[in-house]
């Protein structure tokens, strides 16, 4: 069994920063892509950023230049550094990871979500 556990969400003023973490644990042979998505009430879940196993990154246009995704493969952890936060960044943030527990079968796992609230 595999679990993704997120941490680091909270309340911050506009212009502030937060760092989200997401650690994978359990039966893991390898991890391919990892990412962060966000979802607000009544909205579809949208991509924030992704990172491949060789550190290629991709960002939503709305966060480019403000957010940075990174990963620590030794810790099976993905991070999201969020700077210059805006009220419109307020959402529940979810991490995901494409994990192989038994090669070659890959499965996408999701974290439970962490609330980020940016006050104006």
């Amino acid at each position: 069994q595999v679990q993704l556990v997120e941490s680091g969400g909270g309340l911050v003023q506009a212009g502030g920063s937060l760092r989200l973490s997401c650690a994978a644990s359990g039966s893991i042979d390898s991890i391919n892509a990892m990412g962060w998505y966000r979802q607000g009430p009544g909205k579809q879940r949208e991509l924030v950023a992704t990172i491949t196993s060789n550190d290629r990154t991709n960002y939503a246009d709305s966060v480019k230049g403000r957010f940075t995704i990174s990963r620590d493969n030794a810790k099976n952890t993905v991070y999201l550094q969020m700077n210059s936060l805006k009220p419109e960044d307020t959402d529940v943030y979810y991490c995901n990871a494409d994990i192989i527990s038994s090669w070659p079968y890959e499965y996408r796992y999701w974290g439970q979500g962490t609330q980020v609230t940016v006050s104006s």
Side-chain angles (χ1 to χ4, degrees):
Q1 196 65 287
V2 173
Q3 273 191 316
L4 299 186
V5 178
E6 300 157 357
S7 60
L11 174 63
V12 65
Q13 287 190 329
S17 298
L18 284 175
R19 188 191 195 210
L20 305 183
S21 300
C22 172
S25 62
S27 178
I28 298 172
D29 181 74
S30 61
I31 302 178
N32 292 325
M34 305 181 83
W36 290 94
Y37 287 68
R38 62 188 183 187
Q39 185 172 22
K43 292 164 48 179
Q44 284 194 324
R45 191 170 295 187
E46 62 177 16
L47 179 146
V48 175
T50 60
I51 184 168
T52 66
S53 57
N54 57 357
D55 289 339
R56 291 182 65 181
T57 58
N58 179 53
Y59 295 93
D61 288 342
S62 59
V63 307
K64 281 180 182 176
R66 300 188 297 122
F67 291 10
T68 302
I69 189 171
S70 61
R71 62 191 285 171
D72 184 333
N73 292 326
K75 296 181 179 180
N76 290 337
T77 298
V78 62
Y79 304 98
L80 186 68
Q81 178 66 45
M82 304 185 294
N83 299 329
S84 302
L85 282 160
K86 304 175 181 179
E88 51 263 44
D89 294 317
T90 295
D91 266 331
V92 178
Y93 284 69
Y94 297 89
C95 67
N96 70 14
D98 296 334
I99 294 175
I100 296 175
S101 296
S102 175
W103 194 87
Y105 304 103
E106 180 184 275
Y107 185 78
R108 176 162 291 182
Y109 293 88
W110 290 87
Q112 79 284 0
T114 186
Q115 177 70 46
V116 171
T117 302
V118 184
S119 62
S120 56

